[in-house]
Amino acid sequence: MKTYRKWLKALFIGICAVGILWFCMPALHGGFAEGSIFGVAVCALGMATAIKYKGMADRGGWRKWLARTVAVLYGLGLCWAGYLTALIISYQAAPPPPGRNVIVLGAQVYSAERMGVSLGNRVERAYEYLEENPQAKCIVTGGQGDNEPCAESLTARNALISRGIEPGRIFAEDRSRNTRENLEYAMETARANGIGTEVVVVSQSFHLYRAVRLAQSAGFTASGLAAETDPIIYPSYYGRELLSLTKWYIEELIFNLG
């Protein structure tokens, strides 16, 4: 039994070490942000808990209870992260239904003609769907951020037009500052222009679950349409999405209780 526990402990420490390396990968592309910091911190805490647990528990008293409390809370946190991860995967694996209108969520832009990788991939995926479904219309979303020269929706619209999508099929909202507002203002745009509210929401795979749920909250009948994600940057986005989903669930719980 002791040998089994030692191997299990070593395996867990090894997984945490691999996790730290995985969450550090975005630094290769300059993307070491809050998601990576969160992931590294979680993995480091797991390693520390595994290494220190027996020593603290054997000393008894408050140290034993502290070790047990940290271990239980850490285990519950891993279960929560696993649950959220299952939701994320389930939504990105579902094929989008044909014949719906399209909503492109906003992301970083650098000019009216130049966008970041995330938005570029979203626009490309939306273009493919619009080509396959010529009756579909498109709402591009996103206002102008503090570090942006123009509205994100303007750049996305220009990119779709340059690829050959007719301007009359593209509608834009240019006021939103986050995903929730993207979809709330998209609903206003849809109603103002008589656009059907059965839609596919285009974003990166890690973001689809929350995006579709927010679209449904805004009044859409929504499905997800996954755009390509840079695998090197993915760990940081994944860590940030776990934080965003947790924050969203807490807000929903507080709102419902109120």
Side-chain angles (χ1 to χ4, degrees), residues 132-146:
E132 294 167 359
N133 299 271
Q135 79 283 9
K137 295 180 172 61
C138 179
I139 301 174
V140 290
T141 68
Q144 180 178 353
D146 296 335

Side-chain angles (χ1 to χ4, degrees), residues 12-176:
F12 181 74
I13 292 172
I15 291 172
C16 289
V18 171
I20 289 174
L21 294 175
W22 188 67
F23 279 108
C24 285
M25 281 174 52
L28 298 174
H29 285 185
F32 194 84
E34 64 270 20
S36 288
I37 295 170
F38 170 71
V40 169
V42 169
C43 293
L45 177 60
M47 291 181 69
T49 301
I51 293 169
K52 295 291 186 180
Y53 178 83
K54 188 177 185 304
M56 292 185 68
D58 288 346
R59 296 177 70 177
W62 66 269
R63 292 180 179 85
K64 177 180 180 179
W65 289 106
L66 177 62
R68 287 185 174 180
T69 300
V70 171
V72 169
L73 291 177
Y74 190 83
L76 291 174
L78 289 183
C79 291
W80 175 247
Y83 169 70
L84 295 180
T85 300
L87 292 176
I88 290 171
I89 293 173
S90 69
Y91 270 65
Q92 69 188 47
R100 292 190 171 189
N101 295 317
V102 179
I103 297 177
V104 181
L105 299 184
Q108 180 71 47
V109 300
Y110 303 105
S111 73
E113 307 298 334
R114 181 169 167 256
M115 53 195 145
V117 173
S118 292
L119 184 56
N121 289 339
R122 294 176 191 182
V123 167
E124 186 61 33
R125 189 67 185 94
Y127 166 74
E128 293 171 358
Y129 187 90
L130 290 167
E131 281 287 281
E132 294 167 359
N133 299 271
Q135 79 283 9
K137 295 180 172 61
C138 179
I139 301 174
V140 290
T141 68
Q144 180 178 353
D146 296 335
N147 60 342
E148 294 174 318
C150 63
E152 295 164 0
S153 57
L154 172 64
T155 306
R157 186 175 189 275
N158 289 343
L160 286 170
I161 292 173
S162 70
R163 285 166 169 77
I165 302 299
E166 297 87 343
R169 296 174 65 191
I170 307 171
F171 300 82
E173 72 78 21
D174 59 4
R175 295 179 292 159
S176 60

